[in-house]
Each structure stands twice: as structure tokens, then as C-alpha cells.
Amino acid sequence: MSTKYNESPFLYKRRPTREVKVGDVGIGGKNPIRVQSMITSNTRDTEESISQIKDLIQVGSEIIRLTVPSQADADNLPNIRKRMKELGLHVPLVADIHFTPQVALKSVEWVEKVRINPGNFADKKKFDVYEYTDQEYEEELERIEEVFTPLVLRAKELGVAMRIGTNHGSLSDRIMNRFGDTPLGMVESALEFIKIAERNSYKDIVVSMKASNPQVMIHAYRLLVSRFYELGMDYPLHLGVTEAGDGTDGRIKSAIGIGALLEDGLGDTIRVSLTEDAVHEIPVAIELVKKYNQLWLATEKAENGFKNPNQNEREFIQISNQSNLKEFRDPFAYSRFYSRETNADGLLFGDGNPVRVETTYPFLAESTSETILSDIQKNAKSGRIPDLIHFQIQTEMDLLVASEMTKLGRFPLPISITLSSDLQKDYEGHLEEIYKFQKWNIPISQHYLESQESFEGILEIVTRFAKDKRSIEWMFGANELNLVPIVLKETQKRNIQNVCFSLKNADLIQIRTLAYHLRESDYAIVLHWQSEDWDDLLYSSSIQVGGSLLDGIGDLVRIEHHESPIDSLYLSFDILQATRLRLTKTEYISCPSCGRTMFDLQTTTAKIKEKTSHLKGVKIAVMGCIVNGPGEMADADFGYVGAGIGKVHLYKGKEIVRKGVPESEAPDQLIELIRENGMWTDPE
């Protein structure tokens, strides 16, 4: 199988696709990346549906989906359409279909797009253990084609688009038994339906590969596109992390999964799935696509002969100088990029050690130590304390005070420092103080660009410093990748072992390029993102740092917001939690709610979090219905799934262990179930 999954792993270039029209909104082709959401009301309730549609239009949703679980819901679509026309509401509607092919045939008459799920449109999903012979498998495919073809033909006749939306949580028994609960199974499930559509000359198709685990999602989309390249298919992609949850966690998980694929040039429309009111999803989606739609706009201007781009547009029009770089990793499976172990006075990172967290504090003399000690004590029980403290030393007095405090043992953790530009120029005059710290971060351009003598001088000091269980970090700006091979060569020539490399505020492609340069030297890599704008820090570090970690790249994370070191610390650990590389709190998988939901999902999720948020590393799924529930919570320890009005099924893994529990009793019974399985601890 080809490893090609995008236009280039080392240069941003959006994957070219066919255009699919959803009403008058184009997806793929020459269009910007579209943002969309889904109303949560009962589709039989015309006025509530209209109210939510109106709200989503106002915040910028370009396409709106609603669930159509029954014939009665489909029968009300004409009323919704009529009311929209009366109010002058113009937005394409998508009918979300599960289990009911006949309802899909009714719905396609009244919407611009219909979403079907290959896992349950005509297949069964009962988690039965059953081995299919090749003949039985083919017979099932023939049956699926018979059921699916009428919808394809009617959509083709009406000019209605279709999303073939595979969910990791709802693969059919047939697929599960042939391919397992894997990204490959997700891809093959979608391809079976695409090929049926193509045999009927229908190609107005958008495809999705959603999962609640960003790693599974990323690998599934990459594998799908790899197959598209092999088969000559050019269908646009709908991106989304399903059941992402709420609050900061939901935003981080969505940014990692969606953003990492957008960085790869994949994705033509996105939906952010939050366990919140749908209007809160669109601002997040707009933030995620902003950079890539600016890239799209700049590229369009360049291709149309626009000769005078502004500074921002110039930065977006990228010219490849990395065409000689070749893929050096498996993009379809997680494997950590190997780096040798680095020692900062006993703190080990790289090799088999967990990804470490380094938190930056502005140096404020004596008060700094009290602030840090307070933060450590506050978070000691959760394990969310930094592995390294990072000081940005601005003056000689800062350096003297910090070194004295270190000598007196005022800090319980290893310290790394970055000197100001002035102190960097006179580092030799301060070596006695510098030598008291465990890690020295050196902006290499300040020495390399100053003079050859300055560059050679810092290399000599680094050689001595690194030999005594202290580590050096060669720091590069994101635009200084050309210096990496030069510094790497000199570092290797002097046999300097205790060294790591970092790029500040680098995108995923640049970090990947750094890893390519270091692939044979095995030096550790620091992922460093800094911003004073909190929203920018949240989304950018989630995309770039989180995406790199899921690429297997990164041994130490340093995220900086100088006014909020403790928030930066939490963000670092939240990103590690979302990538499943370091679990320091309870993991929640919760769906965004829709018309199928059997209870107030937001209130219920908040109630369960209140009772269980102290269970470090325990994974709990809160799902509104059974459509994706049992599958999306496949790797959850426990599940809380709506089974009917006022009724809940409780799961241990994929197994229902308590059926039809009254909703009023379900949270307490969930706690009892966790206790029975030895995973409960009382909150302190």
C-alpha cells in the first residue's frame, strides 16, 4: 500500500477534490473550508427546530444538519421547509439517517444532503461473534446494494448530495469480524458504499471517518485518502472528532484531530461536536479553519495573477524548498519517534520516558519561589506538576538571585533558563551562575548570525556544560530550519550527547521537518509554543503540539502564557490527556446531543463529572442514545447510555451490565459499578 496520504508531508498544500454542491454551498474544489453544525431539537417540533436553525445561521453555520430517526420526523420536514421559506431562512439542510433506509428515501425529497452511516444503514450491529465466509460476505454486499441503490438513484435524480459518514463507534458486525475495530475497517466500510454509488454514476459524495479518539480519527482519514489516491477518487472530506465532550477538553480534542488533518491539507468542511448548545460549536470551527481559509484565499489570488499580496498573504504563499525530503514514518499508525535519553540533573526525557512538561514563570525574584511552591502544592495530588521550571532571565540581578535560590535548594524541581539577548552576548561573564542550572536554552541564531567566532565559542561552552548531567536546548525560530543541519553537524562532530532541539511556534509541517533532520542523530525534541493571546495559545498549541505528539514527535512540551503559568501548565497536561500519552484526570467521552438524545445531556454530563472527576485515568462515556454509544465508548471503562425516555443502560466496556436503570438512579448506580470493579477512590 502506498504511504501517500496528502500532497506533501513537508509542505502545506490542500488536497485537490471535486466540488460537491449542497444546495448553493460548494464543498471541496475551489471553495473555502465550510463550517457546519447540527440542531439538537426533535425534528417533529417545527418551531423549536426553526429557532435553532435561525440561531445557527446567525453565528455563521453554512450548512445545518438535523436528525431524522423515524417516518414521523421525515413527514415533518415539509413543514420545516415551509416555515423557513416564510421567514426567509436560506441554508442547506442535511438529514441524518441511522437504521432506516425508507426514512432516507422520504427525507431526500426535502433536503440538500442526506447523511447515511454505512455501519447501520443496511447492516446489522449487535456485537455478535460470527465468522463470514467469502460467499456469505458477498451475499451481504449484494443485499446492501439492493437496499442502498434506490436512495442513490433518487439523490442523483434530485441533485441531492450525500455524506457517507463512517463512525468508529458504529461499524457493522460484518466489518468488525472481517477487519476489526480499526481505521482500516472504517475505510473499507465507506468504500463499499462509494463503489455502489459509482456503479450508478453518482459522485455527489462527501466522506467522513469520525472517532472520539483523535489518534484513531487521524489515522482513518489518512488511510482513506491513501486509498483514494490508489483508486483515483477525489471526494471531499468532512472532518470531525465525534463525542469530543465539553469545555476546554472538547475544544482541545477537536483542535488536535481536525487541526492536524487541516495542517496536512485534508478537509473541506468541518463540524466541531461539543456537549454544549450548538451555537457554541461554530465559533470554534471558524477559529480552526481561519488559517487554512487564509491560505486558500492567498493561493486563489496567486493563481489568478494577483501581484501585490499584503504581508500576511505573502507569509501564506509558501514555496517548497523541502522537495527532496522523503516520508520517514508510518502515517497510519502511532509510533514514537525515537530519541536518546537526555539528562537534566536527574530529570530524564526522551527514549522511553513519558513526555515531560516544562512550565515558564517570569522571574520575579523572591516571590517567584513562593508562587511556584504554592502551585505545586495545589496540584500535587493530581500529579499535574511541571517536570521542569523554566525561567526567562532578563537582567544580571535576576540571574544572580535565581542562582542563589537554586544553590540554597529553594526549588524542589530542576530549573531551565533562557537568557535575554544582552545576557546571551555576555554569557562567558556569567558562566558561574549559569552552571548552577540544569538546562540552558540557547537561541542559536543569536550566536550563529553574530559571527563564526561567537558560534564556535558557544559550541565549546556547550560541550563542557552537557557533559555534567546538564542539558542544552538548541532553540530555533520557526523560520530558521535551514540552520538545523549546520548546528546538528557541529554538535555531532563534538560528540555532544546531552542536547535537545526546539522550534518556537512552528507548525506541524515544520516540526516534522525538524524530526526528519534529526532522524539519524536521535536527539530529543522540545515542542515550544508561546502566545499572550489565550485563545490563540489554546487552539494553536492543540493543533501544532498535539498534532506533533500524535505524529510520535516530541519529548518535552513547553507552552507559555506569561501572565498565566498555571493555566499554561493545565493546558500542557490537557493536550497530553487528549492524545492519551499521559493521563492525569478522568477521561470523558460525551456526545453533542441531537433529536435522538434520551435525556438532558449537558446537565447529566455535568452531574456525572461532579461525582467522578477525581478518578485519575478512568474513562467514562456519556452517550445520548445507542446509535454510536457502544462503539464510540469501545475503549471507555464505563458507559452511561440513553436507552429510552427516563431509562439508561450502564456498560462495563462494551457489555451492558445494568439495563433500563431509572434516570434518577443512574448516576449513583454508575458510581456503584465503578466501585464494584475496583476503580473507585473516595475524593479527598
Side-chain angles (χ1 to χ4, degrees):
M1 183 184 70
S2 168
T3 58
K4 181 175 180 179
Y5 69 92
N6 69 347
E7 291 297 286
S8 170
F10 299 103
L11 171 73
Y12 178 82
K13 185 176 182 183
R14 189 169 162 193
R15 167 181 164 261
T17 73
R18 69 189 308 108
E19 181 185 49
V20 173
K21 295 289 282 188
V22 182
D24 57 2
V25 176
I27 296 176
K30 296 290 187 179
N31 295 289
I33 300 163
R34 304 296 189 178
V35 297
Q36 58 178 285
S37 185
M38 183 175 185
I39 65 171
T40 61
S41 63
N42 190 315
T43 308
R44 284 166 281 177
D45 186 336
T46 302
E47 289 309 312
E48 180 59 25
S49 296
I50 289 295
S51 176
Q52 291 193 22
I53 288 169
K54 189 188 302 183
D55 289 344
L56 281 173
I57 291 172
Q58 288 176 345
V59 294
S61 186
E62 297 171 281
I63 300 169
I64 295 174
R65 182 160 44 118
L66 37 74
T67 184
V68 191
S70 71
Q71 189 66 46
D73 295 283
D75 289 341
N76 198 48
L77 289 175
N79 295 326
I80 292 174
R81 275 296 186 199
K82 179 182 176 183
R83 192 75 180 112
M84 287 178 66
K85 186 175 182 180
E86 290 172 353
L87 295 172
L89 301 178
H90 301 289
V91 67
L93 294 184
V94 183
D96 194 61
I97 305 294
H98 296 273
F99 303 113
T100 51
Q102 290 307 311
V103 172
L105 271 173
K106 172 71 175 180
S107 301
V108 76
E109 307 287 331
W110 298 100
V111 294
E112 286 81 11
K113 188 166 90 172
V114 61
R115 179 274 173 112
I116 62 103
N117 182 342
N120 59 36
F121 182 80
D123 252 334
K124 64 181 179 178
K125 182 176 179 57
K126 297 180 180 178
F127 294 107
D128 291 338
V129 177
Y130 179 72
E131 294 295 330
Y132 287 83
T133 66
D134 289 345
Q135 181 179 343
E136 289 170 331
Y137 199 92
E138 288 303 316
E139 289 172 354
E140 282 294 291
L141 286 178
E142 290 173 9
R143 184 183 64 80
I144 289 168
E145 183 157 5
E146 183 179 337
V147 174
F148 184 44
T149 296
L151 177 63
V152 170
L153 293 176
R154 188 60 177 147
K156 177 183 173 183
E157 183 181 356
L158 294 171
V160 172
M162 184 181 298
R163 171 157 70 97
I164 295 177
T166 300
N167 271 30
H168 184 228
S170 54
L171 296 176
S172 68
D173 287 351
R174 179 178 55 81
I175 288 289
M176 291 276 282
N177 281 284
R178 178 61 63 95
F179 299 101
D181 188 12
T182 63
L184 177 61
M186 296 170 68
V187 170
E188 292 302 322
S189 180
L191 287 174
E192 290 175 354
F193 279 70
I194 292 171
K195 289 173 181 178
I196 293 171
E198 288 190 339
R199 284 196 286 274
N200 290 280
S201 302
Y202 176 75
K203 293 189 174 183
D204 290 329
I205 296 169
V206 180
V207 188
S208 64
M209 297 272 118
K210 291 191 176 184
S212 60
N213 183 333
Q215 185 180 107
V216 172
M217 172 217 174
I218 290 169
H219 292 156
Y221 276 103
R222 287 177 176 174
L223 189 60
L224 174 72
V225 177
S226 177
R227 294 284 283 131
F228 278 175
Y229 281 121
E230 290 176 3
L231 297 169
M233 295 179 176
D234 60 352
Y235 298 108
L237 300 177
H238 169 123
L239 303 185
V241 178
T242 191
E243 282 88 34
D246 61 0
T248 301
D249 290 337
R251 285 158 176 77
I252 289 172
K253 195 178 286 188
S254 296
I256 291 172
I258 295 170
L261 289 166
L262 292 175
E263 281 285 302
D264 275 333
L266 305 181
D268 305 283
T269 180
I270 75 167
R271 189 263 172 116
V272 173
S273 299
L274 300 177
T275 310
E276 301 177 18
D277 292 341
V279 291
H280 297 148
E281 296 179 348
I282 293 300
V284 179
I286 290 172
E287 185 67 28
L288 293 182
V289 302
K290 180 171 63 177
K291 167 185 173 181
Y292 310 98
N293 278 342
Q294 287 175 312
L295 280 162
W296 164 82
L297 180 62
T299 302
E300 287 293 292
K301 286 183 176 181
E303 290 179 355
N304 291 321
F306 184 73
K307 299 298 184 183
N308 298 301
N310 62 36
Q311 180 59 37
N312 287 336
E313 290 166 338
R314 268 196 294 273
E315 292 173 3
F316 286 131
I317 300 172
Q318 300 185 25
I319 300 172
S320 175
N321 60 357
Q322 306 293 342
S323 57
N324 61 325
L325 305 188
K326 305 297 182 185
E327 184 62 87
F328 63 99
R329 72 219 152 95
D330 180 356
F332 311 120
Y334 176 80
S335 178
R336 188 167 172 184
F337 180 81
Y338 177 74
S339 59
R340 70 183 70 181
E341 189 169 73
T342 304
N343 188 340
D345 197 33
L347 176 71
L348 304 178
F349 57 98
D351 194 13
N353 297 290
V355 178
R356 303 296 190 180
V357 172
E358 183 174 2
T359 299
T360 299
Y361 283 82
F363 192 73
L364 301 172
E366 293 287 344
S367 63
T368 302
S369 64
E370 301 306 320
T371 301
I372 295 171
L373 288 171
S374 174
D375 288 346
I376 291 172
Q377 290 168 357
K378 189 188 309 179
N379 293 284
K381 291 177 183 176
S382 69
R384 292 188 147 213
I385 60 174
D387 300 294
L388 266 172
I389 298 294
H390 177 226
F391 284 148
Q392 292 190 323
I393 305 293
Q394 299 298 323
T395 67
E396 290 187 30
M397 183 57 67
D398 288 344
L399 183 60
L400 287 170
V401 172
S403 64
E404 283 302 306
M405 293 165 72
T406 302
K407 185 174 68 175
L408 294 171
R410 294 290 299 278
F411 292 107
L413 299 171
I415 296 174
S416 70
I417 59 167
T418 302
L419 302 180
S420 66
S421 297
D422 289 340
L423 291 175
Q424 286 281 348
K425 292 176 182 177
D426 188 27
Y427 66 89
E428 289 180 301
H430 304 291
L431 285 178
E432 183 179 346
E433 287 78 26
I434 293 171
Y435 204 78
K436 293 170 185 172
F437 300 99
Q438 283 75 50
K439 184 166 170 281
W440 182 11
N441 305 334
I442 303 175
I444 188 61
S445 61
Q446 293 185 23
H447 299 278
Y448 178 78
L449 298 178
E450 184 179 336
S451 67
Q452 183 67 26
E453 182 180 348
S454 174
F455 180 47
E456 290 177 355
I458 197 70
L459 282 168
E460 300 253 341
I461 299 300
V462 164
T463 304
R464 299 205 303 270
F465 194 87
K467 282 183 178 179
D468 193 25
K469 291 188 178 180
R470 283 161 169 74
S471 65
I472 290 292
E473 179 182 325
W474 289 132
M475 301 175 71
F476 298 84
N479 61 348
E480 296 172 350
L481 268 167
N482 60 307
L483 296 180
V484 171
I486 298 168
V487 175
L488 174 62
K489 180 180 178 181
E490 295 299 324
T491 303
Q492 290 178 303
K493 187 165 72 175
R494 288 162 173 78
N495 195 30
I496 305 171
Q497 301 292 319
N498 225 28
V499 175
C500 55
F501 285 67
S502 71
L503 290 177
K504 181 179 179 181
N505 287 13
D507 61 35
L508 192 152
I509 291 169
Q510 292 168 318
I511 294 167
R512 194 177 290 157
T513 303
L514 172 66
Y516 177 88
H517 289 312
L518 300 178
R519 69 194 185 285
E520 294 179 0
S521 64
D522 299 336
Y523 289 118
I525 293 175
V526 177
L527 303 176
H528 180 193
W529 198 274
Q530 185 271 329
S531 177
E532 295 313 304
D533 181 300
W534 180 254
D535 284 343
D536 174 67
L537 187 68
L538 173 70
Y539 292 113
S540 296
S541 62
S542 295
I543 294 170
Q544 313 302 351
V545 174
S548 297
L549 289 169
L550 287 183
D551 256 2
I553 300 169
D555 304 290
L556 187 148
V557 170
R558 181 169 62 248
I559 294 174
E560 295 183 25
H561 186 279
H562 293 157
E563 292 184 5
S564 305
I566 195 68
D567 290 334
S568 302
L569 173 69
Y570 293 159
L571 177 55
S572 300
F573 277 112
D574 285 342
I575 290 172
L576 289 172
Q577 177 94 12
T579 56
R580 305 282 182 92
L581 293 178
R582 199 166 166 182
L583 299 180
T584 52
K585 63 181 185 180
T586 316
E587 176 77 6
Y588 294 99
I589 301 163
S590 60
C591 69
S593 185
C594 69
R596 297 185 302 267
T597 301
M598 299 296 180
F599 49 79
D600 185 330
L601 200 63
Q602 293 182 44
T603 301
T604 301
T605 301
K607 188 183 301 182
I608 291 173
K609 282 189 171 185
E610 182 182 355
K611 293 174 178 288
T612 62
S613 61
H614 64 288
L615 299 175
K616 178 179 174 181
V618 176
K619 296 189 283 293
I620 299 173
V622 185
M623 315 298 285
C625 71
I626 61 169
V627 168
N628 297 323
E632 287 301 354
M633 60 190 202
D635 65 346
D637 300 304
F638 304 96
Y640 182 111
V641 180
I645 302 301
K647 298 293 183 181
V648 172
H649 289 341
L650 298 180
Y651 285 71
K652 172 71 174 71
K654 289 184 180 180
E655 181 185 356
I656 300 178
V657 291
R658 299 189 185 184
K659 289 187 176 182
V661 178
E663 185 183 343
S664 60
E665 301 174 14
D668 288 335
Q669 288 207 30
L670 174 64
I671 291 172
E672 187 60 33
L673 181 61
I674 297 171
R675 195 186 302 274
E676 287 173 4
N677 285 271
M679 299 180 75
W680 178 265
T681 57
D682 290 328
E684 297 183 16

